[in-house]
Amino acid sequence: MKRRKFIQNTILSGLGLSVATALTACADETKMTTITDETKAVSTGKPVIPMVIATWNVPNATKKAWEVLQAGKSALDAVEQGVMVEEADVNNQSVGKGGLPDRDGNVTLDACIMNKEGNYGAVVCIENIKHPISVARKVMEDTPHVLLAGNGAKQFAIESGFTPENLLTEASKKAWEEWKVKSEYKPVINVENHDTIGMLAIDKNGDISGACTTSGLSYKMQGRVGDSAIIGSGLFIDNEIGGATATGMGEEVLKTVGSFLIVELMRQGKSPQEACEEAVQRVVKKSPNYKDFQVGYIAVNKQGETGAYCIHEWFNYTTYQNDENKNHKADYYDKKK
Ligand code: GLY
C-alpha cells in the first residue's frame, strides 16, 4: 500500500475505532448538565473567569482543573492537573495509560503545554510514561528546549523522576489483537469518539494556559506524530487574546495550523465561535475528502467567552464556568441540506 494511502486509511481507522466507553466511564462519577442543542459562543453577561473548557465529555478533568483554580493556583497548574485525570483513566483509550497502540503494539503519546508567557513544552512519541503532560511541562521549565521526542523524551522523564510503566492495558491489547486479524481500515466518522483531550483555563488573575494530550490515532504507523503536541496546531495560547485547542484528524489540523489560526482570527476581532468556524471551513476547503474525517476546535478569549465547532455532528466539549460543570454539543459544518 502506498504511504499516502496507508496514512489516510489509518487515520480513518483511528477515528472510527477509538473509544466510546470513556464517555460513560467519566460521566457517572460527576454530575453534570448536558446541553443537547448545538452551542454557539457562550456570553452570559455574568463573570466568566476563572473558567475551564476541554474537548469531549470529561467532567472529572474539568472538575479537577476547577478545584485547582478555586484553590488560587494558576491556569497552568489547572490544565496540567485537569488533563492528568484523563491520562490516568485506563478507560480512556485515546490518552495516556490505556491508549490504543500503534500498528506494532507500542503505546506512544504526544502532549504539550503552553503558559501565559507564551512558553511551550512538548513531548512526542514518548513511551512508558503515564503523564506526558507533566514531562512536557518539565521540558518547558527545566530545559532550554521546547520539544523532546521518543527515547530522548523518555530518558529525560526518567531522569526527572518519572517511573516507567507498561501503558498497554489488557483492553487495549485485546482491541489491537482484534484489529490485527484483518488489519483493515474502515472509514467511520466519529459519533462519540473521545480522541484528544485539549484543555484551556483562565485563572482568577485572568491569565490563560492550555494543555493537549493524546495517544494519537489508533494503529498508526510507528513514529507517526499528529497535531496535538505541535505548537500552533493542537494548541496555541496568547495571553493577550485567548487560546484554542484541537481534536480529530491531526494531519488536517497540522496542514492548516488550526489553533494558531483561531487565536489570530480572535486578534482580528472575531469571536471564539466565529474563529472556530473559520478554522473548520479552512480544513473543509482544503480537503475534498472532509466527509471521511473529523476535526473539532474549542477556543476561549480573554473575557472568557467560548466557541466550538467541528466538521461532523457529535463533537462535544465540557466547560466549568460560573460554578457549573456542563457538557455541550458543538455546532458543526456538515449539516444535511
Ligand atoms: N488529534 C490527535 C492526533 O491526530 O494525533
Side-chain angles (χ1 to χ4, degrees):
M1 190 183 297
K2 284 201 168 70
R3 182 177 169 274
R4 192 165 180 79
K5 183 148 171 76
F6 173 82
I7 291 171
Q8 207 166 61
N9 286 340
T10 307
I11 286 158
L12 299 170
S13 159
L15 289 169
L17 292 175
S18 286
V19 197
T21 48
L23 291 166
T24 36
C26 293
D28 57 12
E29 282 181 44
T30 303
K31 277 197 175 169
M32 64 188 303
T33 315
T34 298
I35 309 295
T36 48
D37 294 334
E38 290 88 42
T39 310
K40 294 272 185 183
V42 175
S43 184
T44 60
K46 296 178 197 162
V48 284
I49 62 166
M51 63 81 64
V52 182
I53 182 169
T55 54
W56 303 105
N57 188 15
V58 289
N60 298 318
T62 48
K63 180 169 178 279
K64 180 67 192 178
W66 178 257
E67 285 166 0
V68 172
L69 293 176
Q70 292 305 300
K73 298 214 169 131
S74 67
L76 186 68
D77 290 329
V79 293
E80 180 190 6
Q81 292 185 44
V83 302
M84 281 172 73
V85 170
E86 293 302 312
E87 288 180 339
D89 182 356
V90 292
N91 293 313
N92 182 343
Q93 287 179 293
S94 54
V95 172
K97 184 161 183 160
L100 289 167
D102 65 19
R103 62 180 181 176
D104 301 313
N106 311 297
V107 180
T108 65
L109 306 176
D110 305 332
C112 78
I113 196 159
M114 201 162 174
N115 71 9
K116 64 179 173 153
E117 281 93 20
N119 293 318
Y120 154 83
V123 288
V124 295
C125 234
I126 189 170
E127 292 183 50
N128 303 111
I129 303 292
K130 183 164 69 180
H131 290 302
I133 198 65
S134 301
V135 187
R137 183 168 177 175
K138 284 210 167 285
V139 171
M140 179 174 79
E141 293 180 342
D142 298 351
T143 81
H145 307 302
V146 295
L147 197 163
L148 293 180
N151 280 338
K154 180 177 166 183
Q155 187 61 31
F156 169 70
I158 292 167
E159 283 164 10
S160 302
F162 292 81
T163 307
E165 60 185 290
N166 177 22
L167 302 181
L168 187 63
T169 56
E170 278 309 310
S172 290
K173 190 169 173 213
K174 187 164 176 278
W176 169 60
E177 278 164 353
E178 283 167 9
W179 171 83
K180 269 202 303 181
V181 173
K182 290 189 176 170
S183 299
E184 246 180 23
Y185 304 101
K186 284 189 181 164
V188 180
I189 292 166
N190 77 303
V191 173
E192 47 194 4
N193 177 11
H194 201 287
D195 202 68
T196 302
I197 303 302
M199 182 179 282
L200 311 166
I202 309 182
D203 60 30
K204 67 175 170 43
N205 299 321
D207 291 322
I208 310 170
S209 291
C212 191
T213 184
T214 191
S215 54
L217 298 170
S218 44
Y219 321 128
K220 60 196 173 187
M221 288 176 74
Q222 190 171 5
R224 179 266 185 193
V225 173
D227 62 306
S228 300
I230 306 302
I231 189 168
S233 290
L235 175 72
F236 196 72
I237 302 293
D238 183 324
N239 200 38
E240 287 180 10
I241 306 296
T245 187
T247 182
M249 184 172 173
E251 281 72 5
E252 298 299 326
V253 176
L254 281 164
K255 286 192 285 185
T256 51
V257 199
S259 294
F260 181 73
L261 173 63
I262 290 168
V263 173
E264 289 307 299
L265 290 168
M266 291 194 291
R267 191 192 307 279
Q268 290 163 23
K270 291 205 185 291
S271 70
Q273 183 63 32
E274 290 166 340
C276 288
E277 289 181 19
E278 186 161 335
V280 165
Q281 280 154 12
R282 197 76 64 96
V283 171
V284 166
K285 198 172 160 196
K286 285 181 181 283
S287 296
N289 63 329
Y290 73 87
K291 285 188 182 289
D292 297 335
F293 61 81
Q294 175 69 297
V295 166
Y297 291 110
I298 57 171
V300 66
N301 65 13
K302 191 74 178 162
Q303 291 70 45
E305 292 174 321
T306 60
Y309 201 63
C310 56
I311 301 176
H312 304 288
E313 195 175 9
W314 294 114
F315 166 55
N316 59 90
Y317 62 102
T318 309
T319 56
Y320 211 131
Q321 202 166 20
N322 293 319
D323 274 319
E324 274 188 294
N325 202 8
K326 284 188 192 171
N327 182 250
H328 315 255
K329 181 181 170 192
D331 195 10
Y332 59 101
Y333 174 85
D334 196 27
K335 299 200 170 99
K336 302 262 179 307
K337 299 285 184 303

